[in-house]
Amino acid sequence: QVQLVESGGGLVQAGGSLRLSCAASGLIFSINAMGWYRQAPGKQRELVATITRGGSTDYADSVKGRFTISRDNAKNTLYLQMNSLEPEDTGVYYCKANDLVQFYWGQGTQVTVSS
């Protein structure tokens, strides 16, 4: 089993920045890819960014050039640096981890961007 705990969300004005963290514990050696997803009110959960064990990254078109995903394997922590935030980025941000058998979700952290 893998446990994920997100932190770093909050209220920020448009144009501002936030950094989200996701601390992993448990069978962390089994983790392959990790990622960030978000869910806005009344909308489906969507992919924001992913990173493989080897460090390859992928981003949703809407966040390319503004968000950066990274992982610190020594600290078992995943990050999402979010710059130039827009009101459309508002939502609950979830951390996800995959191993060979299943995937795991964190509890989410709220990000609110005011205009």
Side-chain angles (χ1 to χ4, degrees), residues 1-105:
Q1 292 289 324
V2 174
Q3 294 78 43
L4 304 171
V5 179
E6 301 99 332
S7 60
L11 173 64
V12 64
Q13 289 188 331
S17 298
L18 283 174
R19 188 174 83 154
L20 305 183
S21 299
C22 172
S25 61
L27 299 178
I28 55 178
F29 63 88
S30 67
I31 295 175
N32 187 3
M34 298 187 73
W36 289 98
Y37 292 70
R38 67 187 180 191
Q39 187 165 17
K43 295 187 177 181
Q44 289 187 329
R45 193 172 299 187
E46 64 176 3
L47 171 71
V48 176
T50 61
I51 185 167
T52 67
R53 179 188 291 271
S56 296
T57 59
D58 193 21
Y59 296 90
D61 288 342
S62 59
V63 306
K64 283 181 180 177
R66 300 188 298 123
F67 290 11
T68 302
I69 188 171
S70 62
R71 62 194 289 179
D72 185 332
N73 291 328
K75 295 183 178 180
N76 302 320
T77 302
L78 178 72
Y79 301 100
L80 184 68
Q81 178 66 45
M82 305 186 294
N83 299 327
S84 302
L85 283 160
E86 303 169 352
E88 293 74 22
D89 296 316
T90 293
V92 179
Y93 283 67
Y94 297 92
C95 174
K96 181 183 178 184
N98 293 69
D99 62 21
L100 293 179
V101 177
Q102 59 186 317
F103 54 88
Y104 308 88
W105 291 98

